[in-house]
Amino acid sequence: MWKNLWTLGGDNHWGLRMRTRGTRGLFATQDIPPGARILEIPEEHLMTIESVYDRNPSIRKVYPHKAQMNDRVIYHLYQLLTGAVKPTPSEKIYLSSLPKDVSNFCLFYDKKDVLRPLKGTCFSRQNPDPNHLFHSIDNYRMHYDHTMDQLGIPQETRDAYLKSTVMVNSRVFQFRDGKKDRMGLVPIADLINHHNQDEVNTTWYFDDDKRVFVVQATRLIPSGAQVYDSYGQKNDLQLLYTYGFYMPENEYGNIIIPQPHGQQDLVIPRRGNQNINTQDQQRIRGYTTRLYKILKSISPEHPLRQLLHDQYEFLKK
């Protein structure tokens, strides 16, 4: 399967190796010099809004107007996963590279076992705001439940739609093509993992002369080193919601302490200056006690246990 996937990547690979066990990612098998174009993915292998809209008639019925939104690609991927649309040869190869297990994404968290013990935290609020997509995991799932209702997605294929959602949201690239802004899924390039800015060793762009998506080294990548990208200035919740992981060393990490309805949340950065007044200190102590009780009550296998533990240890200081 991986050998087939490389056929989508043109001729420039620089001996990259894909790790499929443990942490998935791309690794250099030789020294890659700064400026080297380590990947060139031809445009015909990209799953873009324009390409799926043009080739899948059902999308034109569901979404009659073209727009730069992930929804079109999500719906096309959903139809590929459920067999409603026959994949092209390159789509068939790309589908085989997607992870089978997506339980790390919060759209698949069990409400009873995972979310109910977290009531009163920023993950499962007492009074979630239905107008704010990322206000809580409950809100996030509620949004997509409503979307599936509107689209008429049958109950038996809703997991496939949610899988399509997390795959697209976590892998989509937004790029400039001449004077146009475009977005789409890019095989192989979407295997590159995120890291803090000081560890990033690549940049990417669309070469509108050669009609290829390019990943280029920004500095020497030694043999055996992992290839890294930055997914942007994301805080802990944004990484968790969109990409399904949490980084203890996240340079944009913060702790969000929910406040009563109508009041602004208290946001504590885990790096930089922390100007905390007496009232905020009281709120922090109360939230720290809440985290302690949660950690005592949840199982060691709870998907957010490490994140909650790290927040507790930080606030305790």
Side-chain angles (χ1 to χ4, degrees):
M1 180 266 286
W2 296 110
K3 182 179 179 181
N4 290 336
L5 185 62
W6 284 121
T7 65
L8 307 184
D11 297 325
N12 288 355
H13 297 149
W14 276 89
L16 293 177
R17 174 174 59 88
M18 284 174 284
R19 178 183 290 172
T20 58
R21 293 182 179 180
T23 302
R24 293 159 60 96
L26 292 183
F27 293 78
T29 60
Q30 58 182 291
D31 289 348
I32 301 176
R37 291 164 66 126
I38 60 177
L39 285 174
E40 291 184 348
I41 313 297
E43 182 179 19
E44 61 264 27
H45 298 320
L46 275 55
M47 195 183 297
T48 65
I49 292 169
E50 296 84 4
S51 68
V52 303
Y53 194 88
D54 290 340
R55 112 168 181 75
N56 188 342
S58 62
I59 291 181
R60 286 175 245 158
K61 296 177 183 177
V62 177
Y63 301 105
H65 304 291
K66 283 187 181 181
Q68 290 287 25
M69 295 175 63
N70 291 353
D71 296 342
R72 281 76 172 160
V73 183
I74 290 172
Y75 195 79
H76 181 67
L77 184 57
Y78 158 70
Q79 291 199 307
L80 289 173
L81 291 177
T82 56
V85 170
K86 185 178 180 180
T88 64
S90 62
E91 286 175 341
K92 187 174 182 179
I93 295 171
Y94 180 64
L95 289 175
S96 68
S97 74
L98 296 178
K100 302 294 186 289
D101 182 9
V102 290
S103 59
N104 57 305
F105 288 91
C106 60
L107 282 180
F108 291 92
Y109 287 173
D110 182 87
K111 289 185 178 181
K112 179 182 177 182
D113 295 334
V114 176
L115 297 182
R116 189 178 294 173
L118 306 186
K119 275 294 182 186
T121 70
C122 59
F123 307 105
S124 184
R125 295 171 181 256
Q126 301 289 358
N127 298 293
D129 181 357
N131 298 313
H132 195 321
L133 179 61
F134 294 108
H135 203 238
S136 70
I137 295 176
D138 310 72
N139 262 31
Y140 196 50
R141 177 58 191 260
M142 200 183 309
H143 168 81
Y144 285 106
D145 283 341
H146 180 63
T147 298
M148 290 188 288
D149 289 341
Q150 288 183 314
L151 293 173
I153 304 294
Q155 287 294 332
E156 61 269 21
T157 61
R158 290 199 166 198
D159 277 356
Y161 185 86
L162 292 176
K163 180 175 182 178
S164 302
T165 297
V166 299
M167 288 296 94
V168 173
N169 287 347
S170 65
R171 291 166 175 261
V172 71
F173 286 85
Q174 299 186 42
F175 55 91
R176 193 81 174 163
D177 179 3
K179 295 183 178 180
K180 294 190 303 181
D181 289 319
R182 299 178 63 189
M183 61 172 58
L185 300 177
V186 183
I188 306 176
D190 63 8
L191 293 168
I192 300 175
N193 285 326
H194 165 80
H195 214 297
N196 289 330
Q197 198 60 48
D198 57 356
E199 294 292 330
V200 171
N201 49 25
T202 62
T203 187
W204 47 263
Y205 56 90
F206 187 77
D207 184 333
D208 41 323
D209 291 325
K210 292 183 68 175
R211 311 306 296 173
V212 294
F213 185 94
V214 177
V215 177
Q216 188 169 17
T218 56
R219 59 186 181 186
L220 173 68
I221 306 176
S223 178
Q226 186 169 177
V227 177
Y228 284 120
D229 180 24
S230 171
Y231 297 171
Q233 299 180 10
K234 302 289 195 299
N235 64 33
D236 296 336
L237 287 186
Q238 289 170 323
L239 286 178
L240 179 69
Y241 282 32
T242 309
Y243 301 103
F245 67 84
Y246 155 67
M247 284 178 60
E249 68 277 19
N250 180 17
E251 60 189 323
Y252 302 106
N254 56 35
I255 298 172
I256 298 174
I257 301 179
Q259 299 304 302
H261 194 59
Q263 296 184 28
Q264 190 171 4
D265 289 341
L266 178 59
V267 180
I268 311 294
R270 289 197 278 116
R271 291 190 181 186
N273 296 325
Q274 297 153 6
N275 299 316
I276 301 171
N277 58 38
T278 303
Q279 186 179 17
D280 288 345
Q281 288 176 351
Q282 293 174 346
R283 291 170 175 170
I284 291 171
R285 283 195 292 271
Y287 194 67
T288 306
T289 301
R290 173 73 182 133
L291 290 179
Y292 175 78
K293 292 178 179 178
I294 289 173
L295 287 168
K296 294 287 284 185
S297 67
I298 61 178
S299 72
E301 291 76 31
H302 192 286
L304 297 181
R305 184 178 182 86
Q306 186 61 51
L307 191 158
L308 294 166
H309 177 268
D310 289 349
Q311 289 190 349
Y312 170 74
E313 290 295 329
F314 180 87
L315 294 176
K316 202 171 61 167
K317 299 175 184 178

